[in-house]
Amino acid sequence: MTANENRESGEPRIALVTGANKGIGFEVSRRLGQAGLTVLMGARDMALGETAAARLRRDGLDAHAIALDLTRIDLVQAAARTIAAEFGRLDVLVNNAAIPGGAADGPPSTADLDSVRRMFETNFVGSLAVIQAMLPLIRKSGAGRIVNVSSGLGSLTLNADPTWRFAPYKLLAYSASKAALNMLTVQLAYELRETSIKVNSADPGFTATDLNQHRGTQTIEEGAVAPVRLALLPADGPTGGFFDSAGSLPW
Ligand code: NAP
């Protein structure tokens, strides 16, 4: 049996990636598909999701679009019902979808309150909603993996270091939503500590995508390294940690 097969059934493992129609989520989907997983590509615009999944299928990968808007609990629950009906379990969940604050975000003195609320609604509450809906299916996996795609900007320790490379990037709404996501990682890993499910946060690194108007210095291939590694962790891999492509990050 390979690492990409469900331990109990020997069937291909099933992965759900949110926000998979473009950027890092698309590349993570491609890499998981190449690793032999069946990939469900969450998209809030199904036309974009179908186009993205068709691109991967043309490369011979087993990829399918699934409607999933983090701010629509009805769609999140419907996605869980679809996965339950078609596969009966979920082996890998990559909570990748997120929004940036744009011009309305900024340092604490000026960050727009509506922007802060919107960012928490999608990046934190939305990711939590997906986890809550999918957890019963992940518990049915022999080796569940949950990856919360966070950011170095969500690290309290790095934010507190004035010499850190990204110290001048004080985007309160975005950074706080990712710090909250990191708390979700720590608490969920603790809650699931007696199970085989592993929960970790990934920092993709500063990656050229629509999120930052392609100002990032890494390619999406480089940005996908940490999330993919955590999605495919072996049984003796870590849980409750925060990692980039180079290793462990401080909370
Ligand atoms: P991106 O290219 O803008 O992709 C974001 C994805 O999230 C898109 O598919 C988008 O869908 C989706 N999305 C947004 N709101 C959603 C919602 N309410 N429901 C469902 N999907 C939603 O950004 P990216 O750079 O690939 O970011 C991926 C992840 O990496 C994010 O969590 C981001 O915070 C994190 N990250 C990125 C960087 C970086 O430098 N790029 C650095 C650190 C962390 P639409 O196409 O419909 O908008």
Side-chain angles (χ1 to χ4, degrees), residues 19 21 24 44 68-70 96 98 150 174 178 205 207 209 212:
N21 54 284
I24 295 166
R44 57 179 168 177
L68 214 162
D69 183 328
L70 267 56
N96 165 79
S150 179
Y174 180 78
K178 293 299 188 179
T207 304
T209 67
N212 50 39

Side-chain angles (χ1 to χ4, degrees), residues 99-112 115-116 119-120 123 151-156 159 164 166-180 206 211-213 215:
I99 52 172
D105 205 351
S109 58
T110 58
D112 177 71
S115 176
V116 177
M119 204 105 333
F120 266 80
N123 300 0
S151 166
L153 294 179
S155 164
L156 296 178
N159 267 273
W164 180 44
F166 295 107
Y169 292 77
K170 292 295 185 258
L171 303 167
L172 182 69
Y174 180 78
S175 304
S177 73
K178 293 299 188 179
F206 193 34
L211 192 88
N212 50 39
Q213 296 78 46
R215 288 192 300 254

